[in-house]
Amino acid sequence: MSLLTVFLVLAAYSSPQQQTDSLIQAPDTSIVYTKRRIVLPEVPQRGSILDRHDSVLVATRPQYLLKLPRRPPLDTLALGQLLGWGPTTMRKRIADALPYEKAPAGYPVQLRLTATEAARVRRKSADWPTLTLTEGRQRTYTTNVGAHALGYMGAEAEPFYSQAKRYRRGRFYQLRNGGVEGYYNGLLNGRRGIMHPLVDEQGQTQGNWATDTAFQQGQDLHLTLDVKLQAYAEKLLGNRKGYLVALDPRTGEILAYVSAPIYKPATITAPDLAGVRAKLLQQEGMPLINRPAMRANPPGSVFKLVNAAVALQLGAISPTTSFRCDQKLVSCVHHHPAPSNLTAGLKYSCNPYFYQVMGKLINYVPDSLVQDTVAARHVNLAQWRRYVRSFGLDSVLGVDIPREAPGFLPTPEYYDKTRGTTRWRYRSIYSLSIGQGEINLTGLQMANMAAIIANRGWYYPPHLVSSISTGGPLPRFTEKRYTLIDSIHFAALVPGMVAVMQKGGTADASSLEDVGITVAGKTGTVENDEGDDHAAFVGFAPADAPQIAVAVYIENGGFGADAAAPCAALVMEKYLRGYIAPKRKRWEARIQSRARHGY
């Protein structure tokens, strides 16, 4: 670099924030060099977020803010007429902007305007000298769905953080969810160009003291979400508490990601929605918690699929194994014929059947006449846990959102400690056989479990971003992962899952056979000592060539067959066919009505 070039660069970038100098002395000489860090002026534009069909969901766009005068009186009726808002809209917009209901008169309020509304204010500025109109740039959501997946920029969420700390204090950490905006923040932001010349006392450049940083524009993210399917799934859950996660099992791409109760994604960062945020923070259902990733719950009877796969792998049972429906062991809420094989056990979700399946795993002692020893129980439980963990359980799956819970699978040491003895017996831990007790899975893990069975033993880690700019997803999302279960044993589960959806099965009312779609599924009803039971369902379709795997969990929803399975079936039909058959329209309307009312 010539001396003239250096002077031109330094003259252009002389701001303290753009240029940083430090002095160093060359070894064994009196020559002093200046290390300069020069930030080039061009600022990268933050990338946009698009859905799988290239519809823009989030982008940086101009924002117009109208600041109302701090002191009354303010003729809100006349202001509404200026903006083209009716009296009801005007009152609601101001109320939404106030962080608490009884804010004092004149509390500073800013309202977002459209470009057309801003133009009206400019034309009438002489008549409204107390109004202040400013223009800036902010992240703009073009959709009202997918809040927990999209997330938000941390810098724009500071008002929300302040509110959350006041309202939730110790529970604040649970509410932070930057979504893909936070997870991919660096890639979305891009980077400014930075030069690192080493300059001598005469102003001559003597090379670089560090590698220059090339300017890079913010990169676009193409999501795996189908925004139309996302909107449909959100209507099915609405104000209930729970989640719905739909995956493409062939790729691990997340097609729909619902955490309910739902809210609009702009709520967290919009400067005029402090009042809406306050209501969300105080809402008993805690809608701000990212349930599919952060809430780990007992899975209930859907976990029988995992236990059956492990039992088949270890030779504890075969597909033709039969057990009595012995109510003395554990109650069975379904009235059904004796389960003569694994398919029947799954079809009827027979608790005593799977009690005995798990019992064979825990109490088994090879090559011995003694069938129940302390050492054997410890070894067998540890072995069971090793195989179950290969499903991606008891660990984070690594989905591309900032925070994810690992769930929990008990160890022998855990029971030694909680039971206060090493001599615990299977009878004290049998709840594992029906997915209750100490087992906890997240919604992402539940959906991934369904994808693993659909794929007969392998999966790609679930993810929300399919491509970054013109490239693909992050490399780890293209690495196929295998369980410790042979594919033949997963294939043995499918007939029972199909039977679940057919006549006499626990979810036969949710069958899609009338439109030519064979669904493989499993219901779960999770016992809850503090209220109504939780409803669960996992499944995939079509059963012989799966294109979608779904997990649904509705807190206090009751039976999985009544509350969760219908939601999953409708999402499958919507995705595979694009519309719902007339036969299920009344059914669909009833579910959506219940979702709006939150029960």
Side-chain angles (χ1 to χ4, degrees):
M1 184 183 294
S2 68
L3 180 61
L4 177 60
T5 302
V6 171
F7 282 141
L8 290 174
V9 169
L10 298 184
Y13 315 125
S14 58
S15 166
Q17 291 183 340
Q18 294 172 323
Q19 175 183 316
T20 305
D21 294 353
S22 61
L23 300 178
I24 61 171
Q25 186 169 345
D28 303 323
T29 70
S30 60
I31 300 175
V32 177
Y33 294 103
T34 301
K35 294 197 303 183
R36 286 186 171 151
R37 181 178 182 275
I38 303 170
V39 180
L40 301 181
E42 187 175 4
V43 178
Q45 181 174 332
R46 189 172 176 89
S48 300
I49 298 177
L50 305 90
D51 86 335
R52 68 187 296 112
H53 302 300
D54 293 332
S55 297
V56 176
L57 305 180
V58 190
T60 302
R61 293 178 177 174
Q63 176 178 256
Y64 305 94
L65 286 178
L66 181 66
K67 186 175 182 180
L68 305 186
R70 291 178 60 90
R71 295 183 179 180
L74 176 67
D75 190 341
T76 56
L77 182 62
L79 179 58
Q81 291 174 343
L82 171 66
L83 299 173
W85 301 351
T88 302
T89 300
M90 190 73 209
R91 286 194 297 270
K92 184 178 185 305
R93 291 292 298 270
I94 292 177
D96 287 347
L98 296 172
Y100 46 98
E101 291 183 8
K102 297 183 179 179
Y107 191 93
V109 172
Q110 293 189 104
L111 302 176
R112 284 176 299 160
L113 304 184
T114 65
T116 301
E117 292 164 350
R120 290 175 181 168
V121 172
R122 289 194 194 96
R123 286 196 298 269
K124 298 290 185 178
S125 58
D127 299 333
W128 293 86
T130 58
L131 299 180
T132 304
L133 180 66
T134 59
E135 181 179 348
R137 295 183 68 81
Q138 187 176 17
R139 295 298 271 178
T140 301
Y141 297 85
T142 65
T143 178
N144 289 328
V145 302
H148 291 88
L150 296 174
Y152 45 79
M153 283 181 62
E156 294 184 351
E158 287 302 325
F160 161 66
Y161 292 156
S162 298
Q163 281 182 277
K165 287 176 182 177
R166 287 198 305 271
Y167 284 110
R168 287 293 175 183
R169 296 183 178 88
R171 303 175 78 178
F172 165 65
Y173 76 97
Q174 296 183 3
L175 308 180
R176 298 185 69 138
N177 170 37
V180 295
E181 280 266 43
Y183 194 88
Y184 291 93
N185 183 62
L187 293 173
L188 285 164
N189 262 345
R191 62 170 179 252
R192 298 181 70 172
I194 304 175
M195 300 170 60
H196 303 88
L198 189 63
V199 181
D200 63 21
E201 294 171 308
Q202 286 74 45
Q204 295 285 346
T205 298
Q206 304 297 330
N208 290 356
W209 60 271
T211 303
D212 290 343
T213 301
F215 172 86
Q216 184 172 354
Q217 199 66 265
Q219 300 184 61
D220 293 341
L221 301 181
H222 295 259
L223 300 190
T224 63
L225 291 180
D226 183 319
V227 74
K228 292 183 179 179
L229 187 69
Q230 177 75 24
Y232 182 73
E234 290 194 6
K235 286 183 179 179
L236 298 177
L237 265 68
N239 290 316
R240 293 168 156 186
K241 293 186 294 182
Y243 61 73
L244 184 151
V245 179
L247 301 173
D248 184 335
R250 300 166 298 183
T251 61
E253 294 182 350
I254 298 175
L255 304 172
Y257 186 94
V258 181
S259 180
I262 62 171
Y263 62 90
K264 296 178 181 180
T267 305
I268 301 300
T269 55
D272 59 346
L273 292 180
V276 179
R277 289 194 292 272
K279 291 177 181 177
L280 289 177
L281 286 164
Q282 297 174 66
Q283 193 170 324
E284 185 180 350
M286 299 190 73
L288 294 169
I289 289 182
N290 187 353
R291 281 178 161 83
M294 294 183 59
R295 276 290 174 93
N297 303 291
S301 290
V302 300
F303 198 74
K304 293 172 181 175
L305 296 166
V306 178
N307 283 335
V310 175
L312 289 167
Q313 179 69 32
L314 296 178
I317 64 169
S318 73
T320 60
T321 297
S322 64
F323 290 112
R324 290 177 57 242
C325 181
D326 188 348
Q327 301 280 334
K328 294 178 182 178
L329 298 175
V330 59
S331 64
C332 189
V333 297
H334 306 290
H335 299 287
H336 58 79
S340 57
N341 52 40
L342 176 59
T343 294
L346 290 170
K347 177 178 181 177
Y348 305 127
S349 195
C350 178
N351 287 343
Y353 185 95
F354 288 95
Y355 176 104
Q356 294 168 90
V357 168
M358 189 74 176
K360 294 273 284 186
L361 283 171
I362 300 301
N363 291 332
Y364 176 65
V365 181
D367 302 323
S368 173
L369 296 176
V370 181
Q371 291 297 301
D372 188 8
T373 69
V374 171
R377 287 194 296 273
H378 280 67
V379 169
N380 293 343
L381 180 64
Q383 182 174 234
W384 165 85
R385 184 174 180 273
R386 173 172 169 264
Y387 279 86
V388 173
R389 288 194 82 236
S390 72
F391 285 72
L393 309 181
D394 198 42
S395 61
V396 296
L397 289 168
V399 69
D400 43 359
I401 51 177
R403 304 178 64 218
E404 180 187 355
F408 181 72
L409 296 171
T411 63
E413 295 73 21
Y414 170 86
Y415 284 127
D416 292 346
K417 183 177 180 179
T418 57
R419 301 294 189 267
T421 177
T422 61
R423 303 188 66 82
W424 45 265
R425 292 182 173 273
Y426 172 61
R427 183 63 189 173
S428 72
I429 67 168
Y430 79 89
S431 57
L432 302 180
S433 68
I434 55 175
Q436 299 270 179
E438 294 79 12
I439 298 175
N440 284 295
L441 308 185
T442 66
L444 286 164
Q445 292 171 336
M446 294 264 279
N448 194 56
M449 182 179 75
I452 288 171
I453 301 171
N455 295 331
R456 311 299 193 264
W458 57 267
Y459 68 97
Y460 289 108
H463 53 283
L464 285 160
V465 173
S466 60
S467 64
I468 302 168
S469 191
T470 57
L474 295 177
R476 72 171 185 271
F477 296 130
T478 62
E479 297 174 3
K480 187 182 287 189
R481 302 184 185 184
Y482 292 87
T483 67
L484 297 175
I485 312 294
D486 295 335
S487 60
I488 190 173
H489 301 311
F490 286 107
L493 302 178
V494 176
M497 296 178 71
V498 170
V500 165
M501 312 300 296
Q502 295 176 338
K503 185 176 181 180
T506 57
D508 57 357
S510 297
S511 171
L512 298 179
E513 291 286 357
D514 61 301
V515 291
I517 299 173
T518 301
V519 177
K522 182 69 190 76
T523 57
T525 302
V526 184
E527 295 177 8
N528 176 27
D529 295 334
E530 299 178 355
D532 292 336
D533 291 343
H534 308 313
F537 179 87
V538 298
F540 52 86
D544 56 346
Q547 299 176 42
I548 182 172
V550 181
V552 180
Y553 199 97
I554 299 177
E555 297 176 29
N556 310 119
F559 289 110
D562 295 338
C567 294
L570 287 171
V571 166
M572 291 176 183
E573 184 176 6
K574 186 75 170 179
Y575 180 70
L576 295 173
R577 302 181 72 230
Y579 59 94
I580 304 300
K583 175 182 177 180
R584 275 176 289 281
K585 278 295 182 180
R586 184 178 297 179
W587 188 34
E588 175 191 52
R590 183 171 65 252
I591 291 172
Q592 292 180 350
S593 175
R594 294 184 66 181
R596 285 192 298 272
H597 293 92
Y599 63 86

